[in-house]
Amino acid sequence: MENISANPGEARCIRVLHLEDSAIDAELIQHSMESEGFRSDITVVSSKPKFEAELARHQFDLILCDHGIPGYDGFTALQLAQRIQPVTPVIMLSGTLDDAQAVESLKSGATDYILKQRLARLVPAIRRALLEAEVRAEKKKLEADFLRAQRMDSIGALAGGIAHDLNNALAPVLMSVELLKNCQEDAVREKFLDIINSSAQRATGMVKQILGFARGRGGTGPVLVSNRVREMAKIVQDTFPKSITISLSPGGDDLWQVQCDATELHQVLLNLCVNARDAMPSGGRLSLSAQNVMLDLEAAKKLNGAPGSYVLLSVADTGSGIPANILSRIFEPFFTTKLPDKGTGLGLSTVATIVKKAGGQIDVETGPGRGTKFKVYLPALKAAAGVSEAKSQEPQLPTGRGELILVIEDEEAVSELTKTTLENYGYKVITAKNGVQGISQFEEHKNEVRVVVTDTDMPYMDGMGAVHAIKEMKPDLPVIIASGSKRDTERVQKSEENVINLGKPFSVEQLLLAVGKAIQR
């Protein structure tokens, strides 16, 4: 915590939103802050519409909220601020002492309640509020770093299976290519092409799933649990030893949604599945299931939870079971019965942390020789019952009308296939092997080029450098970044307009849709 300042806000200019209908009071409060050394940019608003507009428009470091705005009570303003900017501290201000009002404000999440007649308390309260906000932000960052590190640990546990399955997916591609060279029959060639396509799709899907899990998609929201269970079953099926059979019951279309982070839910399922795998070194059955349950008062009390509707996730194995003498310790950080090179003791601890964060509970059924069943109860969003992800309609692939596309790509095979695809669909194409050649080609055809499609990692000059140079010459030119690295595309998107991300590997359909979208811009 050494990065947190003793007097937060005084070393930098803090952005403050002040809901106040009295110009004199607003001036007094600003003077109180400045006299104590605060550098601040204060936006004063006096009505509900202006308050809502500023919350939506800017991110603030601190919100000061008068309790007595005509036609707009402080509690409503506090609730709105917490919904739109949940990490920003809110200090309530009032001209009259009302103990019930003060207590209710603090219960509702306000950092402090200050009387305007006692503004001497304001600056210490602001310091405390900003310090607590910094502590929360640091804690949240450390938690995110820990969860990411633990995800990588989980992927490490799957590494052997991932390599094995990727080799299984790539072997038919290599063999089919060799056989195609000597094959003259159209029907047989079609069969080999289908094998190549399905094998490549299988390998691509696996890489995307693992990368998505490792990076973390982030963000809490409604999650369709059945889809997450199916995805995890696919990873397990691909990477676990074949001596372990998988039983899957993901629930039907009526399975309720839950409010959580989808990546963290993946992490819970994967950690429990890896734990089950390790309990069955000689093979066995791993069962994954999800169902709607209602917990009454008695059942909820046993779980130290609240009664209500839940989605129950179950991960069961037919392994050796957990001895009674260590059962109470399995969720402790770093507690493990595995050898030092076989586990860190953080898997089940992480599961407990994530489930608690989502407002859920965990129950364990086990015994020596009886296997183990972990039951995770997550609060359900019953209003979402019966909601299923809509199946997207088959998109109409756009075709060109002779528009010129500049493709910058150092991989010859990718460049040639991209060029051929675009030409087959009505575009004209010029190519370059690196950023330097790309800039040269663009300078020569600047008035004709409608879209640039570029890789990022190339010799001499990478795609990022080429994009910036080309944008200097033609700022409104649409650019498609075709890369397997999200870091590069996100960096460009923050600083450039008219940039479209096309993740590698991409299909013909994805390429054409991206180019069509760029042309429309």
Side-chain angles (χ1 to χ4, degrees):
M1 296 295 178
E2 62 273 15
N3 293 330
I4 297 174
S5 59
N7 292 319
E10 289 152 291
R12 62 185 175 90
C13 184
I14 62 170
R15 189 164 212 168
V16 182
L17 177 59
H18 187 185
L19 177 62
E20 176 61 71
D21 63 331
S22 169
I24 295 175
D25 287 351
E27 202 170 309
L28 278 172
I29 287 167
Q30 183 171 358
H31 176 73
S32 296
M33 294 177 65
E34 290 175 351
S35 65
E36 292 290 334
F38 272 99
R39 294 172 55 239
S40 57
D41 176 10
I42 302 180
T43 301
V44 181
V45 294
S46 57
S47 66
K48 176 182 177 181
K50 291 179 180 178
F51 184 63
E52 292 178 346
E54 288 297 329
L55 282 174
R57 190 177 296 125
H58 302 296
Q59 179 64 43
F60 292 93
D61 299 303
L62 175 69
I63 297 172
L64 301 175
C65 188
D66 186 7
H67 229 306
I69 299 294
Y72 193 34
D73 69 276
F75 292 123
T76 305
L78 173 62
Q79 290 169 359
L80 179 69
Q82 290 177 321
R83 188 170 72 250
I84 298 178
Q85 298 193 20
V87 299
T88 304
V90 180
I91 294 178
M92 304 300 295
L93 300 163
S94 178
T96 58
L97 178 60
D98 186 328
D99 291 340
Q101 198 176 68
V103 170
E104 188 61 32
S105 296
L106 296 174
K107 279 185 177 180
S108 299
T111 304
D112 212 328
Y113 184 94
I114 306 291
L115 281 174
K116 291 182 179 180
Q117 297 91 327
R118 299 176 185 173
L119 286 184
R121 282 195 62 235
L122 178 62
V123 170
I126 290 174
R127 286 199 183 102
R128 182 172 65 85
L130 294 176
L131 182 60
E132 288 177 355
E134 287 189 37
V135 170
R136 285 195 300 271
E138 183 70 14
K139 183 179 178 182
K140 189 173 182 181
K141 180 180 180 299
L142 289 172
E143 184 182 75
D145 290 344
F146 165 75
L147 290 177
R148 186 173 292 108
Q150 205 283 322
R151 280 201 296 273
M152 298 308 297
D153 186 52
S154 300
I155 291 173
L158 301 179
I162 293 170
H164 176 76
D165 200 60
L166 278 175
N167 285 331
N168 282 344
L170 294 173
V173 175
L174 297 173
M175 294 171 66
S176 296
V177 168
E178 291 297 319
L179 292 170
L180 273 172
K181 291 178 181 178
N182 302 313
C183 180
Q184 303 299 323
E185 297 180 33
D186 289 344
V188 177
R189 290 174 65 86
E190 189 73 25
K191 178 183 177 182
F192 287 144
L193 288 172
D194 286 341
I195 291 173
I196 290 173
N197 180 60
S198 63
S199 297
Q201 293 287 356
R202 177 185 172 190
T204 299
M206 177 178 293
V207 170
K208 284 184 176 179
Q209 271 194 322
I210 296 300
L211 284 178
F213 177 68
R215 291 167 177 161
R217 289 177 278 256
T220 298
V223 175
L224 287 167
V225 177
S226 55
N227 288 356
R228 306 290 86 83
V229 173
R230 288 190 190 95
E231 288 170 7
M232 187 51 56
K234 177 68 169 63
I235 291 177
V236 168
Q237 190 84 55
D238 289 341
T239 59
F240 279 18
K242 302 308 176 188
S243 59
I244 295 177
T245 58
I246 311 299
S247 172
L248 177 64
S249 300
D253 292 338
D254 61 342
L255 192 70
W256 297 324
Q257 292 180 328
V258 299
Q259 185 84 6
C260 68
D261 184 302
T263 301
E264 291 182 358
L265 181 57
H266 264 285
Q267 198 161 354
V268 167
L269 290 168
L270 182 54
N271 284 344
L272 293 178
C273 287
V274 168
N275 202 65
R277 179 201 66 182
D278 293 344
M280 300 184 291
S282 300
R285 176 178 292 277
L286 171 61
S287 301
L288 281 167
S289 67
Q291 64 184 101
N292 299 330
V293 296
M294 294 292 296
L295 294 182
D296 58 23
L297 187 60
E298 184 178 350
K301 190 176 180 180
K302 290 180 181 178
L303 294 168
N304 295 319
S309 54
Y310 289 80
V311 174
L312 170 59
L313 295 176
S314 298
V315 178
D317 64 66
T318 56
S320 55
I322 303 173
N325 63 320
I326 67 169
L327 185 58
S328 62
R329 300 190 61 195
I330 61 174
F331 295 111
E332 291 179 12
F334 303 108
F335 176 78
T336 179
T337 58
K338 300 174 185 176
L339 295 174
D341 61 337
K342 298 297 183 182
T344 61
L346 291 174
L348 292 180
S349 171
T350 302
V351 168
T353 299
I354 294 172
V355 172
K356 182 179 179 181
K357 178 181 172 183
Q361 308 294 332
I362 308 176
D363 189 25
V364 186
E365 296 177 358
T366 187
R370 294 196 294 113
T372 302
K373 185 175 186 178
F374 284 91
K375 300 164 73 175
V376 176
Y377 295 84
L378 296 174
L381 298 174
K382 284 191 66 177
V387 177
S388 59
E389 291 177 349
K391 294 182 179 178
S392 56
Q393 294 182 345
E394 195 73 23
Q396 185 71 32
L397 294 182
T399 56
R401 297 181 179 179
E403 296 94 336
L404 184 63
I405 312 296
L406 169 59
V407 175
I408 310 174
E409 172 63 66
D410 65 322
E411 287 287 342
E412 188 174 342
V414 177
S415 177
E416 184 60 33
L417 288 170
T418 302
K419 180 176 184 292
T420 301
T421 298
L422 293 173
E423 288 177 341
N424 286 345
Y425 279 81
Y427 298 100
K428 294 179 181 178
V429 181
I430 53 175
T431 62
K433 294 183 179 179
N434 55 60
V436 175
Q437 287 187 12
I439 293 171
S440 176
Q441 286 278 49
F442 182 76
E443 285 179 326
E444 186 177 345
H445 303 278
K446 180 168 60 176
N447 295 328
E448 294 85 22
V449 172
R450 294 288 304 278
V451 178
V452 173
V453 180
T454 180
D455 189 16
T456 52
D457 188 15
M458 296 180 290
Y460 305 113
M461 177 185 282
D462 63 12
M464 302 296 99
V467 167
H468 290 308
I470 289 170
K471 285 282 191 177
E472 287 288 327
M473 292 182 273
K474 198 170 184 178
D476 59 345
L477 181 74
V479 173
I480 297 172
I481 304 292
S483 172
S485 169
K486 281 194 173 183
R487 180 190 62 185
D488 289 336
T489 54
E490 287 170 356
R491 179 159 56 90
V492 171
Q493 286 173 322
K494 287 179 181 177
S495 60
E496 302 285 2
E497 294 182 354
N498 283 342
V499 175
I500 296 171
N501 178 27
L502 180 62
K504 284 186 174 180
F506 52 81
S507 65
V508 169
E509 177 185 303
Q510 290 168 331
L511 172 65
L512 293 172
L513 288 173
V515 171
K517 183 179 179 181
I519 293 288
Q520 287 180 350
R521 289 186 177 184

